[in-house]
Amino acid sequence: MEVTFFGSGGLLGSYWLELAVAPWEQERGMMHRDRIAAGYGMLFPYPHDRMLSFWMEQTWVPLDMIFVNDAGVVVHIVHQAAPRTQTPRSSQRPARYVIELAGGEASRLGLGAGDRVAWMNLPQEHLPRTPSDGRP
């Protein structure tokens, strides 16, 4: 599946995402990888907006964690999360999706809270439930 990011000035960039749905997929996430290919990442969908928290204990590379609410609005970004730590990284606000990209990608795009996402080929059961009205 693919995600495209949009800022106030328009298109910021697109990425192919591996989908982590099953509990074991979400628990494993990006663990034990020594690199993240350019243009690729991982999506963690949840049933509804809620406070989310991730750690990096067995993750070997820095990651950007992009927290997105059901309306498709970026609500928080953890930049360059340090690998091999148990430090919790929180969404700070309720979110339904977490996108993990290689560390530094969010800054490279100029991505920030309030920017938007568009999903392509997201399975029906993970589609947003609330209409997007442009507000974070």
Side-chain angles (χ1 to χ4, degrees):
M1 66 130 326
E2 186 178 8
V3 64
T4 301
F5 296 102
F6 295 91
S8 59
L11 176 69
L12 297 174
S14 296
Y15 293 82
W16 291 101
L17 300 177
E18 182 178 340
L19 198 55
V21 177
W24 67 269
E25 292 171 318
Q26 291 187 341
E27 183 177 314
R28 187 185 67 202
M30 294 280 208
M31 289 173 27
H32 307 290
R33 298 179 189 206
D34 56 8
R35 70 180 192 83
I36 309 298
Y40 286 84
M42 184 173 283
L43 174 66
F44 299 78
Y46 292 90
H48 53 80
D49 283 348
R50 65 182 188 184
M51 296 302 292
L52 296 171
S53 184
F54 281 56
W55 71 41
M56 300 276 292
E57 183 177 10
Q58 296 296 320
T59 306
W60 299 342
V61 296
L63 297 176
D64 288 346
M65 297 177 187
I66 302 158
F67 296 91
V68 178
N69 69 14
D70 188 62
V73 177
V74 174
V75 296
H76 183 65
I77 301 173
V78 174
H79 296 273
Q80 297 274 5
R84 301 180 182 187
T85 65
Q86 292 183 353
T87 305
R89 275 72 173 203
S90 168
S91 60
Q92 305 294 310
R93 295 178 59 191
R96 181 167 179 210
Y97 306 98
V98 182
I99 300 167
E100 291 184 342
L101 301 176
E105 285 296 297
S107 291
R108 187 183 68 74
L109 291 176
L111 186 66
D115 289 340
R116 308 192 59 73
V117 303
W119 311 110
M120 289 203 48
N121 301 316
L122 184 62
Q124 181 73 30
E125 64 270 22
H126 303 299
L127 288 173
R129 291 176 172 74
T130 58
S132 174
D133 64 2
R135 291 180 291 157

